[in-house]
Amino acid sequence: MRYLTFVSTAATVCVLTAGVTLPAGAASTAHVKSDSSTTWAGYVAFPPKGHTIKNVGVVFRVPKVKCSGSVGAPTKGKLYPGWHASFWAGIDGWSPTSNITSGAVQQAGVIAFCRTRKSAAIYRAFYEMYPADPRLEAAVRAGDRVSVDVSVAGKIYSFSVENLTTRKTLLSAVATCARRTKCGNAMAEVITEAPGGGPDSGRGLADTGTVRYTYAAAGLSRQPPYVDATPLGAFAALTKLTMSPAGHPRIVRPGRFRMGPNGLTDFDTYWK
């Protein structure tokens, strides 16, 4: 969490945000394309020609995952068997031609685990340089408000998850793109996910309920130095993803962007 300055058409304002700055009062010029995914629900933003993504951030309240409503077969494994769901911001990873994640994904957020359908979910902050496995960090509770920031400088990616409720850092890490993996910084996304491939890959999905994302924004290369990010809903090229694994059509769907304090930054994802 840091103080940042952003520029709007009306005034220059100093605000306290979750690691991103947003042009206040930005109008929507977005062309939103709808698509489906077996694992993702949310929005993917594509930069203008000649630009790449330099950072993405979001704030959300950790949802109270409903283990009893989980779908699919439980994931097998020694560490966290059962049903999972994750909530994150990231760079790269969407393949519009195959409707699945493809190549590298640089992401951070919160993942929920349900050991059984009768248990209470547990939550951990995480970051991931896909295709490498996710790294699990500090625990967090349902209802806590968290901020997530992923940024890139050169070949170095930085990940931060802050608990705004307890004012504690849950995760702070840096990493480089995996060898023989292309990190193109070609898109930014805020996503509710069925991790590990979801029900189509034999991994159970926990009932995510409603997730309220706020302050969703992404920064571009070649932006003026005083502008850190643009509201995600103000990008001219957006893809709206509905999660539809086999046998569970539209199980998680995103709502429309709403005006937040600094522009089109807020949206929800809904279970069924």
Side-chain angles (χ1 to χ4, degrees):
M1 176 77 81
R2 54 195 173 103
Y3 282 100
L4 296 167
T5 302
F6 64 86
V7 172
S8 72
T9 56
T12 300
V13 187
C14 189
V15 293
L16 184 63
T17 72
V20 294
T21 51
L22 316 170
S28 174
T29 59
H31 171 69
V32 182
K33 174 185 176 182
S34 294
D35 211 334
S36 64
S37 168
T38 58
T39 56
W40 287 14
Y43 284 90
V44 182
F46 299 89
K49 185 177 180 179
H51 290 262
T52 58
I53 299 295
K54 69 176 182 179
N55 69 318
V56 60
V58 73
V59 176
F60 62 91
R61 199 171 295 279
V62 178
K64 187 174 182 179
V65 168
K66 188 178 179 182
C67 295
S68 61
S70 300
V71 300
T75 301
K76 296 180 180 180
K78 294 182 179 180
L79 183 60
Y80 285 107
W83 293 264
H84 308 152
S86 60
F87 319 95
W88 53 269
I91 299 172
D92 289 334
W94 171 244
S95 174
T97 57
S98 59
N99 294 348
I100 58 173
T101 54
S102 176
V105 190
Q106 301 77 245
Q107 61 190 111
V110 172
I111 187 167
F113 301 93
C114 292
R115 187 169 291 274
T116 72
R117 284 193 170 100
K118 294 183 179 180
S119 63
I122 60 173
Y123 307 85
R124 298 279 295 274
F126 81 97
Y127 75 96
E128 183 174 1
M129 291 287 293
Y130 182 87
D133 290 335
R135 301 290 299 269
L136 303 181
E137 301 287 335
V140 62
R141 298 176 299 181
D144 284 358
R145 192 165 175 255
V146 299
S147 68
V148 178
D149 185 71
V150 179
S151 61
V152 58
K155 297 182 179 180
I156 304 298
Y157 291 86
S158 299
F159 305 90
S160 173
V161 181
E162 302 280 340
N163 191 323
L164 304 182
T165 301
T166 63
R167 298 183 180 181
K168 292 182 178 180
T169 298
L170 300 174
L171 183 160
S172 180
V174 295
T176 58
C177 195
R179 185 178 299 178
R180 292 189 291 275
T181 300
K182 183 179 180 180
C183 297
N185 309 323
M187 64 203 75
E189 56 269 343
V190 173
I191 297 294
T192 297
E193 183 183 11
D200 283 6
S201 299
R203 296 179 181 270
L205 171 64
D207 182 342
T208 63
T210 297
V211 189
R212 298 186 180 277
Y213 294 107
T214 61
Y215 294 99
L220 300 173
S221 63
R222 296 170 55 191
Q223 272 186 326
Y226 50 78
V227 177
D228 279 318
T230 298
L232 212 65
F235 273 73
L238 276 173
T239 294
K240 177 182 179 181
L241 294 176
T242 297
M243 190 191 303
S244 294
H248 303 283
R250 294 175 56 82
I251 194 166
V252 184
R253 55 183 177 83
R256 294 181 178 180
F257 271 100
R258 303 185 304 274
M259 290 294 290
N262 301 312
L264 286 167
T265 61
D266 300 2
F267 72 94
D268 303 338
T269 61
Y270 304 94
W271 180 260
K272 296 185 180 181

